[in-house]
Amino acid sequence: MQPQNIETLRWRNGELEMIDQRILPAKFEYISYHSATEVATGIKSMVVRGAPAIGCAAAYGIALEALNLSTTPKEQFTLALSQAFKILQTSRPTAVNLSWALQRMQSVWDDADSYANAEIAQRLLTEAHAITAEDISINKTLGMHGAALLADGARVLTHCNAGALATAGHGTALGVFRSAVAMGKRIFVFADETRPFLQGARLTAWEMLQENIPVTLITDNMAGYIMSRGEIDAVVVGTDRVAANGDVANKIGTYMVAVLAQHHNIPFYVACPLSTIDLSMSNGAEIPIEERAATEVTGFNDCQWAPDGVAVRNPAFDITPAQLVTGLITEKGVIQQPNQEKLIKLFDNS
Ligand code: MRU
């Protein structure tokens, strides 16, 4: 089945269904989830990935658990639901959207604590739906702000997948391209393959092809050459966490692209919903970087190409210093040359 509108996660008949992103683009299949532990396994194993999508999945994981516990005694409900929060919280470390979404779920629980379990569960489910719906509308607003930065005919490079598959829908970086196309602009996307998990080759290329947005796939080590030929007008990537000083954590290889972009005088934009900004971390060095299995580097799926016993590093994310970021594209507009003062002001509602 080829979807018109990609629904990364959806609520169907009291269950959470998530597209199995590990097998895309060869197969398009949903997996059903019934508990917080199952959802945490789905996040860990990369069935669902991408910062905002992980946050939405975790919120539904809490709702599922609360619904399962609806008829249990209060004490057991409290114990088991607290445990569900812990399990989901530790499923992946880098994307701050996970703890951001869990905090929203926690405050709904805190406010409803005196109610019957079934009522708490319903309120948690309503909040999970709200987080998911808000994510799509935020991405559309952010997309419009970002689209205004791109000229008609722009050739844009992106790294990893910050698309509908990485969010509840529309996407952040790919949302900028979608919005630009919706405005009538011609956009030509270059997708970095994104070793080792191949989110660019498997997911970004697939997403763009679904909507007939022209996309050219390159391996990560081709970006410098293509830029040096004058074939890239802008870089737009997503992010997993932005520190208070504007340092950006994103998929491993993003830093390399940012350095190349600066060398070639190409603007480097980061599509960043406010839920991805973490003012509690003063700079990028404080952001936890996930180290993943060596087998992702020594091969892919059943195919191993590196010799047994070789030492391997597999950091899944890197930090791009704020100085290399031309602008953060948020739902509140574009923050040119981000720094601590500008980011704090973003959250100032007065
Ligand atoms: O390891 P992943 O696939 O979860 O990493 C995803 C990314 O790095 C994305 O660029 C980021 O989460 C932004 S998604 C809108």
Side-chain angles (χ1 to χ4, degrees), residues 92-165:
R92 284 191 83 189
T94 304
V96 72
N97 307 61
L98 180 66
S99 46
W100 171 88
L102 288 173
Q103 267 164 28
R104 273 185 62 162
M105 298 301 279
Q106 182 68 57
S107 50
V108 167
W109 184 15
D110 292 347
D111 291 346
D113 198 31
S114 58
Y115 294 108
N117 298 348
E119 174 64 21
I120 299 174
Q122 275 313 317
R123 288 182 183 217
L124 289 170
L125 179 59
T126 303
E127 187 68 0
H129 289 325
I131 289 171
T132 304
E134 279 169 35
D135 184 54
I136 299 173
S137 74
I138 284 169
N139 292 339
K140 288 189 174 163
T141 309
L142 177 160
M144 295 297 282
H145 291 305
L149 299 166
L150 302 178
D152 179 30
R155 299 157 302 173
V156 285
L157 177 78
T158 191
H159 190 76
C160 192
N161 172 267
L165 288 166

Side-chain angles (χ1 to χ4, degrees), residues 280-298:
S280 78
M281 307 233 146
S282 58
N283 61 61
E286 292 175 24
I287 298 175
I289 299 293
E290 178 182 12
E291 288 269 348
R292 293 187 59 87
T295 47
E296 289 182 357
V297 176
T298 53

Side-chain angles (χ1 to χ4, degrees), residues 1-6 24-28 206 209-210:
M1 184 184 78
Q2 299 294 313
Q4 282 300 309
N5 242 334
I6 299 162
L24 274 173
K27 289 186 194 148
F28 182 84
W206 179 79
L209 287 174
Q210 294 301 302

Side-chain angles (χ1 to χ4, degrees), residues 192-204 220 300 305:
D192 274 350
E193 169 189 46
T194 319
R195 280 272 293 141
F197 207 69
L198 308 179
Q199 289 95 329
R202 297 188 303 106
L203 309 177
T204 295
D220 301 331
F300 192 80
W305 47 70

Side-chain angles (χ1 to χ4, degrees), residues 43-294:
I43 293 172
K44 269 192 192 130
S45 63
M46 307 285 275
V47 168
V48 66
R49 29 68 50 201
I54 294 172
C56 296
Y60 278 118
I62 292 299
L64 278 169
E65 200 66 25
L67 287 165
N68 291 342
L69 294 162
S70 282
T71 56
T72 56
K74 193 80 168 172
E75 202 177 320
Q76 197 183 329
F77 178 90
T78 306
L79 212 70
L81 197 57
S82 307
Q83 185 59 20
F85 272 91
K86 284 194 193 119
I87 291 168
L88 285 160
Q89 179 66 57
T90 52
S91 53
R92 284 191 83 189
T94 304
V96 72
N97 307 61
L98 180 66
S99 46
W100 171 88
L102 288 173
Q103 267 164 28
R104 273 185 62 162
M105 298 301 279
Q106 182 68 57
S107 50
V108 167
W109 184 15
D110 292 347
D111 291 346
D113 198 31
S114 58
Y115 294 108
N117 298 348
E119 174 64 21
I120 299 174
Q122 275 313 317
R123 288 182 183 217
L124 289 170
L125 179 59
T126 303
E127 187 68 0
H129 289 325
I131 289 171
T132 304
E134 279 169 35
D135 184 54
I136 299 173
S137 74
I138 284 169
N139 292 339
K140 288 189 174 163
T141 309
L142 177 160
M144 295 297 282
H145 291 305
L149 299 166
L150 302 178
D152 179 30
R155 299 157 302 173
V156 285
L157 177 78
T158 191
H159 190 76
C160 192
N161 172 267
L165 288 166
T167 62
H170 197 68
T172 59
L174 299 194
V176 169
F177 308 155
R178 283 192 170 95
S179 296
V181 169
M183 285 164 72
K185 293 182 179 180
R186 290 162 305 141
I187 298 295
F188 301 93
V189 178
F190 281 82
D192 274 350
E193 169 189 46
T194 319
R195 280 272 293 141
F197 207 69
L198 308 179
Q199 289 95 329
R202 297 188 303 106
L203 309 177
T204 295
W206 179 79
E207 260 197 65
M208 294 291 92
L209 287 174
Q210 294 301 302
E211 287 167 48
N212 295 321
I213 298 176
V215 58
T216 301
L217 176 64
I218 59 172
T219 62
D220 301 331
N221 51 359
M222 294 174 188
Y225 172 72
I226 305 279
M227 285 183 186
S228 75
R229 305 268 301 182
E231 293 180 37
I232 303 292
D233 300 306
V235 176
V236 185
V237 297
T239 173
D240 289 83
R241 193 186 300 233
V242 172
N245 70 341
D247 287 354
V248 169
N250 192 47
K251 179 53 53 196
I252 191 75
T254 302
Y255 171 45
M256 187 172 73
V257 174
V259 171
L260 283 169
Q262 189 184 57
H263 182 76
H264 294 98
N265 217 9
I266 295 167
F268 179 88
Y269 292 108
V270 179
C272 168
L274 296 193
S275 56
T276 311
I277 299 174
D278 183 359
L279 294 181
S280 78
M281 307 233 146
S282 58
N283 61 61
E286 292 175 24
I287 298 175
I289 299 293
E290 178 182 12
E291 288 269 348
R292 293 187 59 87

Side-chain angles (χ1 to χ4, degrees), residues 313-328:
R313 283 290 312 275
N314 187 13
F317 300 93
D318 61 24
I319 305 294
T320 298
Q323 297 87 311
L324 297 179
V325 178
T326 309
L328 288 183

